[in-house]
């Protein structure tokens, strides 16, 4: 039987990670149309509100119920504003491993939200879900993403040569594919020793958000 992640939210002092809902359509579309998101992810460009709605109502729920992973909307605790996305994919329930990725909206960068959201997700995976390995992959030139991986305690395991397709603006303003390397990072439960102190009270989870 396929295992699945629970439909929950996770909170820190500043953030709430919760399931995406239809109120997020406009903000999700705006976030995904950002230049940095377009450059370092495979999100279709331009990313329409119809695409955001399909992601929220079809893709994300199917990924969770199918056991492949889970998507969390990252929101500010005080304002409830959408500031990012945490995504778990390629989940292997036998090995108890999953791949983690993060996107932060341009209006919320520089606040440490990516590392805070990624760290609390890792804490939840290792303690509540009993996972044994989290993997991250960052494009070779995506230094901001690499800094987040380092900050939460990830260990660089090596390079997958020519394994990543990034994007760059062509002279006519369109996007063109650029092949580059992936840096592979891993995070194990013991890697969080000391790192978790960055969040004062850890996390609190609430079941059945909807």
């Amino acid at each position: 039987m396929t295992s699945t992640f629970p439909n929950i939210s996770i909170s820190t002092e500043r953030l709430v990670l919760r399931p995406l809902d239809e109120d997020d359509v406009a903000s999700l579309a705006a976030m995904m149309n950002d230049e940095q998101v377009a450059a370092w992810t495979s999100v279709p460009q331009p990313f329409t509100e119809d695409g955001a709605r399909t992601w929220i109502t079809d893709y994300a729920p199917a990924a969770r119920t199918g056991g492949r992973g889970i998507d969390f909307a990252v929101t500010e605790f005080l304002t409830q504003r959408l500031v990012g996305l945490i995504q778990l994919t390629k989940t292997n329930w036998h090995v108890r491993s999953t791949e983690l990725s993060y996107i932060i909206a341009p209006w919320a960068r520089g606040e440490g939200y990516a590392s805070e959201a990624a760290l609390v997700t890792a804490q939840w995976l290792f303690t509540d879900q009993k996972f044994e390995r989290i993997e991250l992959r960052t494009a070779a030139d995506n230094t901001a993403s690499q800094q987040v991986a380092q900050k939460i305690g990830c260990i660089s395991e090596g390079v997958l040569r020519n394994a990543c397709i990034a994007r760059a603006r062509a002279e006519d303003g369109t996007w063109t594919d650029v092949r580059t390397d992936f840096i592979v990072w891993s995070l194990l439960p013991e890697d969080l020793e000391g790192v978790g102190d960055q969040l004062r009270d850890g996390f609190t989870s609430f079941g059945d958000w909807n």
Side-chain angles (χ1 to χ4, degrees), residues 17 22 29 32 43 64-66 70 76 80 84 87-88 119-120 135 151-152 173 194 198:
L17 280 64
E22 291 198 57
M32 293 304 185
V43 172
R64 188 186 72 81
T65 58
I70 191 170
E76 287 178 331
Q80 299 183 30
Q87 189 173 44
L88 302 178
L119 182 57
V120 75
E135 186 171 304
K151 188 172 182 180
I152 67 173
Q198 296 176 30

Side-chain angles (χ1 to χ4, degrees), residues 86-99:
I86 290 283
Q87 189 173 44
L88 302 178
T89 59
K90 303 175 184 175
T91 304
N92 186 319
W93 292 95
H94 177 67
V95 178
R96 307 300 288 187
S97 70
T98 191
E99 184 174 322

Side-chain angles (χ1 to χ4, degrees), residues 40-42 90 99 135-142 145-146 156-166 179-185:
W40 300 119
T41 75
S42 59
K90 303 175 184 175
E99 184 174 322
E135 186 171 304
L136 289 79
R137 298 186 180 195
T138 62
D141 293 327
N142 190 353
S145 186
Q146 293 162 30
S156 175
E157 292 187 332
V159 176
L160 299 178
R161 297 184 300 164
N162 267 2
C164 175
I165 300 294
R179 184 170 290 276
T180 185
D181 300 337
F182 260 139
I183 300 176
V184 180
W185 308 78

Side-chain angles (χ1 to χ4, degrees), residues 47-102:
F47 193 79
T48 65
E49 290 196 2
D50 284 343
R53 187 172 291 104
T54 298
W55 187 325
I56 291 167
T57 61
D58 296 338
Y59 174 77
R64 188 186 72 81
T65 58
R68 297 186 297 277
I70 191 170
D71 290 5
F72 286 114
V74 181
T75 63
E76 287 178 331
F77 180 80
L78 293 177
T79 67
Q80 299 183 30
R81 179 178 65 158
L82 182 72
V83 297
L85 183 74
I86 290 283
Q87 189 173 44
L88 302 178
T89 59
K90 303 175 184 175
T91 304
N92 186 319
W93 292 95
H94 177 67
V95 178
R96 307 300 288 187
S97 70
T98 191
E99 184 174 322
L100 184 150
S101 58
Y102 35 80

Side-chain angles (χ1 to χ4, degrees), residues 93-176:
W93 292 95
H94 177 67
V95 178
R96 307 300 288 187
S97 70
T98 191
E99 184 174 322
L100 184 150
S101 58
Y102 35 80
I103 294 173
I104 297 298
W107 53 83
R109 290 177 188 148
E111 300 293 334
Y113 286 159
S115 55
E116 185 171 335
L119 182 57
V120 75
T121 302
Q123 290 176 319
W124 170 71
L125 282 167
F126 290 148
T127 58
D128 188 82
Q129 297 297 298
K130 309 302 180 187
F131 269 57
E132 296 293 338
R133 173 183 169 87
I134 298 171
E135 186 171 304
L136 289 79
R137 298 186 180 195
T138 62
D141 293 327
N142 190 353
T143 55
S145 186
Q146 293 162 30
Q147 288 170 357
V148 172
Q150 292 171 325
K151 188 172 182 180
I152 67 173
C154 292
I155 304 299
S156 175
E157 292 187 332
V159 176
L160 299 178
R161 297 184 300 164
N162 267 2
C164 175
I165 300 294
R167 286 182 285 206
R169 284 284 191 187
E171 291 184 1
D172 62 1
T174 60
W175 289 101
T176 183

